[in-house]
Structures are given as C-alpha cells and as structure tokens.
Amino acid sequence: MRLFLSLVALVATNVAHGILLPAPGSSPYRYLASRDRDLRARESRDANATLEQERADAVKDAFTFAWNGYFATCKGQDELEPVTNTCTNPRNNWGASAVDALSTAVVMESQPIVADIIDYIQTIDYTTTATEVSLFETTIRYLAGMLSGYDLLTGPLANLTSDTSAVDALLTQSQSLADSLSFAFDTPTGIPSNNLFFTNRTNDGSTTNGLATIGSLVLEWQHLSDLTGNSTYGDLAQAAEAYLLNPEPAYNEPFPGLLGTNVGIDNGSFVDATGGWIGGDDSFYEYLIKMFVYDSSRYSNYSSRWTLAADSTIKYLASNPASRPDLTFLAFYENTTFVNSSEHLACFDGGNFLLGGSVLGRQDYIDFGLALVNGCHDLYNSTLTGIGPEIFSWDTTGVDASNQAFYDANGFYSTDSIYDLRPEVIESFYYAYRITGNTMYQDWAWDAFVAINATTRVGQGFSEISDVNAANGGSFGNVQESFLFAEVMKYSYLIHAPDSIFQVSTNGSNQFVFNTEAHPLRVAGPLV
C-alpha cells in the first residue's frame, strides 16, 4: 500500500554521498552478488513444517484478535482507534477495514470472518458518501479487495462458503463502485482527477495528478473488465496509463524509464523531474511488471518499460552508505541530482526486483533485489524495537553528534521515526523467501512480526507508534490502518503457510498477482 509523503521537502537537495554499486555484469558486481548468495546460503536453516505451522497459526491469532476488536466496535465504519476504543472514517464510511481484511481472511481460511465480511459487503451503498473520495485509495483497498475475494471464493477457496449470492455480490458491488468512480476520468486527456466528491460529481480542482495515483489503476480496472466483459473500465485506466508509458516532454524523464511525479490533467505533460521508488511514484513501477504477470500476451510493453526503469535504477539510484558499504539503498532524484534518503514505503522495491527477475529469467535482478531486501532488513535489525522508521537517510551532511554513532554502526539515521503499521519490509521478505526458498527470510519476517506484535498491540488492536528507536516504541498514535489486515497480516502469514496457487510462484508460473494492497488477483493470460 502506498501513500503520499512529502519526503522531497523533508531533506535537502545534495549530490549523493554514498558509493554507487558496481555496474551489473562487471567483475566487482559479480563478486558482491556471489558474496551475498554465499552469506544467505550459510544463514539458511532446514525447512521445519511444524515451526512454520506454529508461526502461521500465531499470525492468524493476531489477525483474529484485531478483527474481533474492529468488528465488535466499528462494524460498518472504516477503522478502529485502538487506544480509545473508538471509530474513525477516513475512507468514506464504507467499512474499509472489513473490505481490506476479506482476502486475508480467505487465504487464512477463517470461515466465520469470511461470512461476516461478505454478508456486510452486500449492504454497502457505494453510490453515496459525504466525504472526499480518493480514486487511488478506493481502487487499491475497496475495489481490489472485493475482486480478490471474488477470485478466491469462485476459485481455489470456493469451499469456504455456499452463499453464492454473497460471492456474486462481490462482483456486482465492484461494478457499482467503479461506475460511481468513473466520472474521475471525464477530463480533456482522460487522466483522472484523484480527489472526488460524489455529492455533485466534482473534484478538488487540482490541475495535476501523480505518477502512482494515475499508474496504479490499470490492474484493478482491467481485471474488472475481464471479469465482467465490459471493456469500459479497463479502457479508462489504459488511456490514462498511456501518458505514463509514453512520457512527454523528454526532460521529465531524467534517466531512461525513470519519470517525474506530477502530470498535467489537461494536457498529459509531466511538470517536474523529481521521483524515485518513494511514495507518490512507487506503485507505478510496481505495476509495470505486475501487468506483465497479469497478462504477458497483452502487456509485454509494460515489462519493457519496467526493464528500462530497473536498469536505470541499478545504474543511477543504487547507493551504498559510506559507513556501511555492504548495504544497498535507493536514492531518489530531483532532476539529475541524487538525494540519499528513502522511506519504509520504498522497501517494497526488493520484492519487485525479485518478482521481475523471476518472471523474466534475470538473475541479476534477483541478486539486486536481494541486496535491497538486506538493506531494508538492516532498518529493522538496528532499532530498539526491531522495527524500521518511516523515513531514513544516509546523507553524510546530515550526520552530527546526535546520530554519528548510530550512523557509523548501521549505515543510516532516522529523520522520521514513527511506524504506521506498514508492510513493505515484510512484503519483500515474502518475495525473497518465495523466490529463493531460503528460510532465513522466514526468520526475518517472523522477527519483524514478533516486534510489531509486541510493540504496537494495544487495547483491542494495533496502533501506530511514535518512535521505533525508543523504549516500547515511544507513544501510541491511536491509528489502526486498514492495511494492517490486508498486508501486514497476510504477508506475515503466507510466508509460513503451505504452498498454494495464490502464492507467488517459485517456478515462474504465477496464477495470481498481488495488487499494491496485497490483494491477490487471478491472472488472465499465459502463466509466467
């Protein structure tokens, strides 16, 4: 799940002070990759089915605990505030936590919870809300959550319910929601407005939309078209995506395949050249390779665009902290100036490189992805809570007496130390385990889950914490985001769960692909 953060405004513009990774294919690069593979092989343990089942059961118990707390207090509302045991509605009062939890409850085979959710979804009125609607957030949480539930409950886990009318309603409700959202695309270019008002079918007047908010609609809207036979939904998203696949002007693509962030809604032109794999840009790159997985026969051009971005990322953005050259992070850029800072959000990048390397048969992408996973593991392995910070930097100009020792030991320092129940690090551990089979990544995911369970659990749920490097995480923020159910719990469970057709494939034959909110959608084309 990706949210916008003002990272660019939080750090100063500067030339990168780290050490760039050797060029792929060079002798130094091959040496580093070989050293990393040897290290990972030594640290792997033998598979242990009993241990894995115990861990999966523990995650399922935590999910059930959080679900019971939410549903008992906030059924029909979006999120539980666990500190005060009250409810909040940042997602239009349609029950975001319930819809986001559905696919996780299904893959955990939690039959009573599945029944509660599909019964509830039938009652939602997606045609009306008094509050501002985010096209992006609504697509990745609500639309994808219902489509995923439909795919799973009409496919490999159909045995969980005999209520076929409730399952069918997942698809009809998806159509209702997409129909309500579709006026967003009524612009001169077809690039949608993101912030919408249903009461009078208007928007907030923004003249631009973002790379991720435009580029993270195609998977869900195309899948809705493929399921219903109505091409309109996919056509709307594809028309907007075309401006990202063929970006103009050239200046706003500072490195091949790496784009700016904001696009003019009226003319389709990029208005800046700032970007990277950070919030606001991230899931555009994520979906390039995932659209290829979804249907390689229709979307080979997406994989070509992803490869272009991946190669430029390795060449230009990869950076090793001066104090810990064994670690690899991705800088972001302002025009052609690099900024050595990143976010927890960006830690999905290792998993995305691993997926790309797996489906394209590229070991160099797999090796690079594993290096990124190792860097993000360091974020968790270095703090008092065992959880990584929201924003971090390895820019040596920001090192002073207050953070020198920490930076020297760990290769980064925190610039925003909250933890908002984000999934991206565990997400990449999941891909690393599924693609390599190395049990070390299961252990890393378990350590992360244990730390999250120990530090963020409060009242009837789990909460944001104020400082990952303070005893007990500092203070609670009284926020339990719906993506706790959709992502943190799902990835923490699936990495220990038995193999199944909805898991990421270890042999390049993916039957499902996960959207950016971790909702698995059945692929439509040849398996890759």
Side-chain angles (χ1 to χ4, degrees), residues 319-321 329-331 340-342 392-396 407 411-413:
S319 179
N320 308 93
F329 299 128
L330 296 184
N340 277 354
S341 192
S342 192
F392 62 98
S393 179
W394 59 104
D395 174 10
T396 56
Y407 170 72
F412 74 95
Y413 53 91

Side-chain angles (χ1 to χ4, degrees), residues 270-325:
F270 279 80
V271 300
D272 61 53
T274 294
W277 291 67
I278 54 176
D281 303 316
D282 44 11
S283 47
F284 162 70
Y285 299 108
E286 177 186 359
Y287 274 25
L288 292 177
I289 195 64
K290 288 185 173 181
M291 285 300 290
F292 176 73
V293 176
Y294 179 70
D295 192 340
S296 58
S297 65
R298 281 186 285 177
Y299 303 118
S300 61
N301 59 320
Y302 279 74
S303 71
S304 298
R305 193 74 200 180
W306 184 86
T307 300
L308 193 64
D311 290 345
S312 287
T313 297
I314 294 171
K315 182 175 182 179
Y316 297 108
L317 304 187
S319 179
N320 308 93
S323 66
R324 287 286 305 276

